[in-house]
Amino acid sequence: MASESKPHTGAPCHEDKQASETLVESYPVTKGSDPPSLSNEFPEGGLAAWITVLGSFLVQFSGFGYATSFGVYQDFYTQHYLTKETSSAISWIGSVNMFLLTSVGLVSGSLYDRGYFYHLMIAGSLLQSFSLFMLSLSKPDQYYQIFLAQGMGSGIAAGLLFVPSTAVTAHYFRRKRTLVLTFVATGSSLGATIHPIMLNNLLNGPLGFSNGVRASAGLVTVLLLIACLCMRTRLDSPTTPVNYVAAAKKCIRDVPFILMTAAGFLFQIGLYYPMFFFQLDCIQHGISTTFSFYSLVILNAANSVGRVTSGFIAAFTGVPNLTIVATIACGVLNLGFIGLSNLPSAIVLGVVYGYFAGLYIGVWTPLIADLTSDPSELGARMGISFFVSGDLSFILGTPIAGALLTSNYIWWIPAVFSGVIALAGSMVYIVMRLVLAKGRSKKQHVLESCP
């Protein structure tokens, strides 16, 4: 009997050992936890790698960074250019832009996996440039013109660029991937720092709206041209393209991935409220116009620091743990915006919220990468996660906040809504972390019990 039982127990131990190794590979907590055999397959540096990273950085600066500078447009449209529209209606322009930025990732991620990287970069860059120049031709109180150019055109363009430009860095890095992706993510926060300075001075200066937008469009066009010249793929596209239906079915069976996506959806409904309304909030509370114009700069500069430091902190704390800390802090600080009333409170809230929001955004993409065991599915999983976590929250969050704000500017209501729903998302992230820990502990125990 004993001799018959050995073959029966040996196979499960072997399978569990393989499963455990797969789990450790799929969900590393620190950058040192990747298997050496896998990391050796990636150059982890070199001229082509870092030039590609620079190109991806510039794409984030010109795409996501420009989109998250919408707070400047929200204030300008509300007070000067779309005075007949409500705050909620105006925020729909920015929300649709952000929605398309990530939802188009379902298409661009699939095309990227099929080897259309260069086609996506060129098409997205041309469309982004065209859309911004068309925005400069929009007339006052012509809502549909601005919505089509900025909400639709620029959103689709940024969506074509976002996933491929981020995923291509995975061709060069495995061990340093989290650090590299957080550096790439700083491109959007730096863009969200530089663009508001430029736009506030151009739109409210002697150039006015049309020429000011043309100047910013020229900058974006030049940077995207440089990015297209910099980025290069290294790995061949899969012989059999990733099937999104199959990838989605696989994701449904991946409990940590599902929890991460649900948590991201809830949290990001509240995440962008300060980024869209902070400048208007400062002005309506009587804070000087000069400071109000730089309020988003302060928030986004702190955001940039958060993104840069997130990679270093995550190397010690683990990506899931840092995500939990950042989301809880952002939820509490959203509630803190109820107390914004003077210059010191605006500075403190802008700096602290910006930093923790930067930590979260910096580890969002690395968290998806950590929960993806098969590198060939990274584009598909990023597209799926961005669509569910980002898109639906973008399309709901700021329009709801704008509607709750009303034309009477009742600021505490959208602050409470954003804070509570962000904290709900952080609770789901905690559940995700517990599931990961339980699964890792179980597999480690099986490994130790195997001969």
Side-chain angles (χ1 to χ4, degrees), residues 74-94:
Q74 177 82 32
D75 175 43
F76 185 80
Y77 292 155
T78 301
Q79 297 197 81
H80 305 292
Y81 218 68
L82 294 175
T83 54
K84 298 178 181 179
E85 305 295 335
T86 65
S87 296
S88 179
I90 292 172
S91 68
W92 271 103
I93 299 171

Side-chain angles (χ1 to χ4, degrees), residues 117-133:
F117 173 77
Y118 298 108
H119 304 77
L120 291 166
M121 289 299 101
I122 294 171
S125 299
L126 290 174
L127 182 57
Q128 176 75 332
S129 178
F130 175 77
S131 298
L132 293 180
F133 277 109

Side-chain angles (χ1 to χ4, degrees), residues 278-279 282-283 287-298 342-348 350:
F278 188 37
Q279 180 170 317
C282 290
I283 290 175
I287 299 174
S288 69
T289 303
T290 301
F291 173 81
S292 297
F293 283 173
Y294 287 91
S295 58
L296 284 177
V297 175
I298 293 172
N342 50 39
L343 183 60
S345 63
I347 293 174
V348 171

